[in-house]
Amino acid sequence: MSAGILAFGGYVPRLRLQRRVIAEANAWFNPALMGLGKGERAIANWDEDAVTMAVEAARDCLASSGREGISHLFLASTTFPFQDRQNAGIVAEALRLAGAVGTLDVAGSQRAGTSALITACEIAGGRGGPVLVASGEKRRTKAASPLELTTGDAAAAILVGAGEGVAKLLGHATYSTDFVDHYRGQDEPFDYVWEERWVRDEGFMKIVPEAVDRALAAARLDAGAVDHFCFPSPMRRAGAGVAARIGLPERSVRDNLQGTCGEAGAAHPLVMLAHALEAASAGEKILVAGFGQGCDALVFEATAALADEKPERGISGYLRRRRADTDYHRYLGVNGLVAIEHGLRSEVDRQTGLTTLYRNREMVLGLVGGKCSKCGTLQFPKSNVCVNPNCHAPDTQEDHPFSEMPATMRSYTADRLTYSVAPPAYYGMVQFEEGGRAMIDFTDVDPGTELGVGEPMRMVFRVKDYDTRRGFRRYFWKAAPCRESMDGDAA
Amino acid sequence: MATGIRDRVAILGMGCSKFGERWNDDAEDLMHEAFGEALADAGVEKDRIEAAWLATAIEEQHAGKSGLPLAIALRLPYIPVTRVENYCASGSEAFRGAVYAVASGACDVALALGVEKLKDTGYGGLPQRSRGTVNDMYWANFSAPGAFAQLASAYRARHGLPAQDLKRAMAHVSVKSHDNGSKNPKAHLRNRIDEARVLNAPVVAEPLGLFDCCGVSDGAACAVVATPAIARALGKTDLVTVKALQLSVSNGTEAQHNSWDGSHLMTTRKASERAYKEAGITSPREELSLLEVHDCFSITELITMEDLHISPEGGAVKDVMDGFFDAGGPLPCQIDGGLKCFGHPIGASGLRMIYEMYLQMLGRAGERQREKEPVMGLTHNLGGFPHQNVCSVVIVGRERA
């Protein structure tokens, strides 16, 4: 039985740190960094991580196809916020998929994204599925490291199911070998990286063909017939070199998004695949490779159905929705790469009662409120007595999801008194289109932006609080302005 | 049929500590200071007090829980002492408890005391703290100024008001309170400021700048209350009596139901309407002589003028700019400096407001004494946040006024 991609989506955070400022700030130490100081890299906001970005990519992917019947959710990353608490489980709660869905974290290698996709295809081909593969990456890099310049934060999601879908799987292959181009040991915050020339010559040029050749053979496809080659390395001309070695057409080598996003680790092959699907026409062949302790390769053929399948924004849409950022110090500060004086207000205990969280998980992680079965009034959160002053009926609340409902801003402020990782703290009252409201944190508001009453807002899943004492983080939903750009947008 | 509290309880004596940064005093010192003044003023022995109410809001920062801190600080003779907390309305809540106890006939003389010792946190402003295990998971990360700042954006939208017009009226509110505070020896802040200084101050929570916000202070205030008959028996003349005691507490409508536009306080409207009825007031703008309202932020005071039905809806900016609420105006508001300058030790604030009314009505307010004899005064507390709050309205006045 065949498997194919049913839907796809992506996410790139709004802020794009200009590489020039990173290189200039660190040139005193390593002037060679100036060679990498071109273009921009996507940086997650302080309240984003691999989990929240994966949720956004999944929402982007599922906007058209809906969420019914998904059998599995795989989450791939090497930067999971939790070592032992299933990260895919958090995504499932945020997407309101939790329950009978099979959830799995896939980690440990830059190949995690493609390996999860292959496994998903195998399940879908064997009468399982649909399987949602989501992958997000927010890598922590040392100041003045090449990785700080070449990596970017992003996520992608691919929904795989039985049948041809919008892109039919023609074949796939994996080659495994313990080739260690870089590693990050237990409890180490940063990657340890070996020489680039060795990685290119002995890694990319020799290992990638081992997987790609077999995948093409399984697909019964000549290398010359490939239209889109997704090769996620940020190394200059690495994709072209590998393509030449394999015999792929030079024009098939896709933009690795190094100029606009940066390489998003395990998520990057899927980011590039989602990006390719946005551009591909029916009949075109897409080859995606994931490199890391070997190589995964998958070959897809776009079907006629692809013309009708569009993610909500897609990688292209998110790449356009950007704000050029030159505040390198803020980037270092919010990511804990310099010791910031957070002040005494930051010392309040942010312990989360795990009993409290479990009891309220649908409200907190799924933004599920209530609807009165008597008067129809929507409210968040749910309560035993309806909030409508003309109703107040007891015990009439039915679950009602709010996360996908359009909202507008009624009042807000930018607060410089309350503790925030990145002041000022924006928050205010938002009102949902079909009813209900919430006094809620805002995010992705640019400093200096004036929001107007009636401003359209969209709910996004974010980190609410970091409990630094215990290594826990609290997630909740926030409201973000819908508009593509804001005042002061340097883009 | 209940007839209300009007003229059933008289104030026998009142006391108030100096408010401010009382670096060298504990809560018990502040309580002792306020109580000493009140007891001397009341002219009774301590053991005449049969029940007491203690108001503290952030007790974990200073005195601790229960009625014990008051009983121990004053060495009360093993009488009932009840600690109350109702956000910033806590002081008025203690007063309500004591007044009701006397009115019920359960006791002849009762004490209400509020205290807050806030300057032990190591930083300015109210302490950053948990709002409860469930609330912490979904409440916005708001501070008091941030929550109240939102009144400004909603009020502007409601009345189509340019940002600068509202900012200037808010500045006038603060300039006026500083003028008044400068004449009050017990006030925390006694400096005068001008409009330019307010408008150019650093922003705390947009659009509130530093001078749009009251600070936090250490302090205590208290009242000894009794029936008018007992007061007269003790030789008191010119009694100040309680005319109304009202409280309105949000039930979640503002926070959760789209019928509220965020530009006004539902609780203040309800509490004041009930208070006027209880006090027999039909035209508050004309009948009230003085206002002490919860000016935690300049925008709060401005909007409260409408919610108390003093200014017409949308008309507060004009009244403020006209000087209607200035010390020399027709209806002075915060003649003692208000929370803004007298200070805001939370548990004490409601009682501090009543203290000022009491002094003014007895002609004991010194340099800041209102010229035209005050006969009826309203005090107002707002605890919590505009979208869910506790509002108390107390009216006191000359007996049979």
Side-chain angles (χ1 to χ4, degrees):
Chain A
M1 198 163 162
S2 63
I5 294 171
L6 306 181
F8 54 93
Y11 177 72
V12 184
R14 284 180 65 248
L15 292 183
R16 310 296 153 78
L17 187 57
Q18 302 302 297
R19 290 203 183 90
R20 176 183 52 79
V21 298
I22 308 175
E24 283 172 357
N26 295 304
W28 67 273
F29 183 77
N30 182 4
L33 292 174
M34 290 305 286
L36 294 171
K38 301 179 186 70
E40 57 190 27
R41 57 156 298 176
I43 53 169
N45 205 343
W46 68 270
D47 56 0
E48 294 185 287
D49 61 20
V51 162
T52 68
M53 291 193 291
V55 169
E56 279 308 311
R59 295 172 77 196
D60 191 57
C61 169
L62 299 174
S64 59
S65 62
R67 301 173 184 186
E68 295 303 308
I70 292 174
S71 73
H72 295 79
L73 166 60
F74 296 165
L75 184 63
S77 182
T78 70
T79 51
F80 282 126
F82 286 94
Q83 298 277 338
D84 190 347
R85 172 194 180 182
Q86 197 186 48
N87 299 279
I90 306 170
V91 174
E93 293 284 358
L95 298 173
R96 285 174 286 106
L97 296 173
V101 70
T103 49
L104 182 66
D105 286 346
V106 186
S109 162
Q110 297 295 299
R111 210 146 53 77
T114 46
S115 296
L117 186 58
I118 287 173
T119 310
C121 289
E122 286 173 340
I123 291 172
R127 287 183 306 191
V131 182
L132 179 64
V133 179
S135 182
E137 198 86 282
K138 179 183 179 182
R139 287 162 86 176
R140 198 168 149 78
T141 55
K142 277 184 189 164
S145 66
L147 278 176
E148 184 182 41
L149 286 145
T150 59
T151 55
D153 303 327
I158 311 282
L159 185 67
V160 178
E164 298 193 343
V166 300
K168 170 188 173 184
L169 179 70
L170 298 179
H172 67 82
T174 295
Y175 181 82
S176 298
T177 181
D178 191 30
F179 181 87
V180 188
D181 57 321
H182 76 278
Y183 65 89
R184 190 168 71 247
Q186 187 164 18
D187 299 331
E188 288 298 320
F190 302 108
D191 292 4
Y192 189 80
V193 183
W194 214 248
E195 187 181 355
E196 200 176 58
R197 294 174 60 81
W198 173 69
V199 176
R200 182 189 65 199
D201 295 347
E202 295 298 306
F204 296 164
M205 298 301 274
K206 293 185 178 170
I207 292 171
V208 176
E210 294 282 352
V212 170
D213 287 349
R214 283 173 37 237
L216 289 170
R220 297 197 178 87
L221 201 68
D222 284 337
V226 170
D227 300 287
H228 302 274
F229 176 38
C230 303
F231 188 69
S233 169
M235 214 181 288
R236 207 161 293 159
R237 293 202 45 80
V242 169
R245 170 68 60 94
I246 298 168
L248 303 169
E250 199 179 334
R251 57 166 174 78
S252 71
V253 180
R254 288 195 60 85
D255 175 9
N256 61 2
L257 307 178
Q258 187 54 209
T260 50
C261 172
E263 187 243 326
H268 208 61
L270 306 192
V271 168
M272 289 185 68
L273 172 60
H275 192 229
L277 287 164
E278 292 165 16
S281 319
E284 288 188 340
K285 315 295 187 296
I286 303 167
L287 167 65
V288 54
F291 181 83
Q293 291 77 59
C295 185
D296 291 324
L298 300 94
V299 185
F300 294 96
E301 178 181 343
T303 70
L306 180 58
D308 301 322
E309 172 60 35
K310 290 275 170 279
E312 195 169 15
R313 269 194 171 123
I315 294 293
S316 305
Y318 275 114
L319 285 174
R320 280 193 300 273
R321 176 186 168 273
R322 62 182 274 284
R323 180 173 184 268
D325 186 5
T326 54
D327 198 342
Y328 179 54
H329 278 106
R330 181 182 186 278
Y331 164 81
L332 293 176
V334 301
N335 287 293
L337 296 164
V338 289
I340 291 276
E341 174 55 83
H342 287 278
L344 270 59
R345 286 185 175 276
S346 68
E347 292 171 9
V348 63
D349 195 336
R350 291 182 178 76
Q351 185 197 44
T352 297
L354 299 180
T355 42
T356 326
L357 174 59
Y358 183 64
R359 198 163 65 235
N360 293 287
R361 65 192 180 282
E362 290 179 335
M363 169 185 110
V364 173
L365 301 176
L367 201 68
V368 174
K371 180 177 186 174
C372 176
S373 61
K374 191 168 167 224
C375 74
T377 297
L378 302 188
Q379 65 174 72
F380 183 86
K382 265 196 322 194
S383 60
N384 293 313
V385 180
C386 173
V387 73
N388 178 1
N390 301 314
C391 177
H392 282 181
D395 308 318
T396 55
Q397 298 275 303
E398 293 167 350
D399 283 350
H400 194 87
F402 281 77
S403 60
E404 305 304 325
M405 219 191 302
T408 53
M409 193 277 282
R410 303 300 306 170
S411 67
Y412 86 111
T413 190
D415 190 333
R416 290 202 167 271
L417 181 66
T418 193
Y419 171 69
S420 166
V421 174
Y426 290 89
Y427 51 86
M429 186 70 86
V430 297
Q431 196 155 310
F432 293 95
E433 192 175 78
E434 295 160 35
R437 56 168 48 183
M439 177 67 74
I440 204 160
D441 289 322
F442 293 179
T443 190
D444 290 354
V445 181
D446 296 331
T449 300
E450 173 110 359
L451 303 178
V453 170
E455 182 90 26
M457 306 291 275
R458 176 176 181 271
M459 304 311 293
V460 293
F461 186 70
R462 295 294 174 99
V463 174
K464 176 149 176 56
D465 279 312
Y466 292 95
D467 179 354
T468 51
R469 192 186 297 181
R470 303 175 185 82
F472 195 79
R473 58 188 65 183
R474 218 179 248 168
Y475 294 95
F476 187 51
W477 293 78
K478 300 183 183 179
C482 290
R483 51 173 135 158
E484 294 283 309
S485 67
M486 291 179 221
D487 305 337
D489 193 335
Chain B
M1 179 76 184
T3 54
I5 200 72
R6 185 180 177 186
D7 285 337
R8 295 173 64 187
V9 178
I11 298 172
L12 208 54
M14 289 202 74
C16 184
S17 76
K18 166 132 180 58
F19 282 11
E21 290 166 326
R22 301 285 303 261
W23 303 118
N24 296 314
D25 292 299
D26 289 322
E28 70 166 285
D29 302 315
L30 302 169
M31 289 191 269
H32 177 70
E33 183 177 325
F35 181 67
E37 181 187 349
L39 201 63
D41 180 31
V44 293
E45 293 302 314
K46 186 167 69 180
D47 55 15
R48 286 291 300 273
I49 297 168
E50 294 164 76
W53 275 260
L54 169 65
T56 50
I58 308 180
E59 90 292 342
E60 68 272 26
Q61 292 283 345
H62 54 99
K65 291 191 186 302
S66 87
L68 282 166
L70 180 67
I72 293 169
L74 305 185
R75 304 290 183 204
L76 294 175
Y78 285 80
I79 59 170
V81 182
T82 305
R83 176 187 165 244
V84 293
E85 184 279 312
N86 221 350
Y87 275 159
C88 294
S90 300
S92 300
E93 194 66 272
F95 186 70
R96 208 163 68 102
V99 169
Y100 277 3
V102 168
S104 75
C107 59
D108 285 338
V109 181
L111 169 70
L113 186 145
V115 64
E116 215 75 49
K117 172 68 194 173
L118 290 170
K119 297 304 299 181
D120 274 340
T121 55
Y123 51 87
L126 291 174
Q128 189 115 12
R129 61 199 190 279
S130 168
R131 267 72 187 258
T133 51
V134 179
N135 294 338
D136 282 346
M137 290 184 176
Y138 76 97
W139 279 21
N141 174 24
F142 47 68
S143 65
F148 279 90
Q150 299 187 43
L151 282 171
S153 54
Y155 185 85
R156 274 181 51 209
R158 168 71 178 265
H159 298 293
L161 198 62
Q164 272 316 305
D165 290 7
L166 186 58
K167 262 299 254 187
R168 280 199 60 211
M170 285 157 54
H172 187 101
V173 166
S174 298
V175 170
K176 172 265 299 166
S177 292
H178 273 261
D179 282 349
N180 296 349
S182 72
K183 296 178 181 168
N184 182 350
K186 287 187 176 176
H188 183 168
L189 302 176
R190 303 197 59 199
N191 60 321
R192 305 174 80 128
I193 54 171
D194 60 18
E195 185 187 284
R197 189 155 176 216
V198 180
L199 295 177
N200 296 325
V203 168
V204 174
E206 289 172 14
L208 303 179
L210 185 64
F211 290 100
D212 292 302
C213 307
C214 77
V216 301
S217 320
D218 303 329
C222 70
V224 179
V225 295
T227 60
I230 290 170
R232 273 189 288 274
L234 286 165
K236 301 274 176 188
T237 53
D238 299 332
L239 296 187
V240 176
T241 59
V242 181
K243 307 292 184 182
L245 287 176
Q246 289 297 334
L247 193 71
S248 174
V249 179
S250 295
N251 71 358
T253 302
E254 302 99 306
Q256 285 187 284
H257 192 257
N258 290 339
S259 50
W260 181 64
D261 73 358
S263 73
H264 65 277
L265 276 297
M266 283 174 60
T267 51
T268 302
R269 292 186 178 186
K270 287 186 190 302
S272 63
E273 285 157 21
R274 289 203 293 258
Y276 296 141
K277 189 167 175 232
E278 187 173 27
I281 289 173
T282 51
S283 179
R285 191 179 170 101
E286 282 76 38
E287 292 175 58
L288 290 171
S289 341
L290 285 169
L291 299 173
E292 286 289 334
V293 304
H294 203 81
D295 58 330
C296 49
F297 305 99
S298 56
I299 185 68
T300 322
E301 177 174 330
L302 187 136
I303 285 171
T304 297
M305 296 303 104
E306 296 179 18
D307 293 332
L308 290 176
H309 308 282
I310 308 292
S311 299
E313 249 184 81
V317 167
K318 182 178 184 301
D319 276 346
V320 164
M321 296 309 286
D322 286 350
F324 191 82
F325 305 111
D326 291 356
L331 180 48
C333 184
Q334 327 298 69
I335 200 162
D336 62 356
L339 300 178
K340 178 74 191 77
C341 293
F342 201 145
H344 186 25
I346 304 173
S349 282
L351 285 156
R352 181 275 297 166
M353 295 173 174
I354 299 166
Y355 174 73
E356 179 66 14
M357 292 298 173
Y358 175 76
L359 294 184
Q360 290 278 348
M361 283 174 201
L362 297 179
R364 286 164 33 183
E367 198 190 342
R368 64 182 188 280
Q369 179 66 43
R370 191 189 181 211
E371 241 172 75
K372 188 179 164 197
E373 189 189 11
V375 289
M376 194 73 86
L378 178 147
T379 70
H380 158 265
N381 289 122
L382 202 56
F385 317 97
H387 67 283
Q388 47 193 35
N389 63 83
V390 173
C391 174
S392 73
V393 172
V394 174
I395 299 175
V396 295
R398 304 297 297 265
E399 193 181 18
R400 283 183 279 278

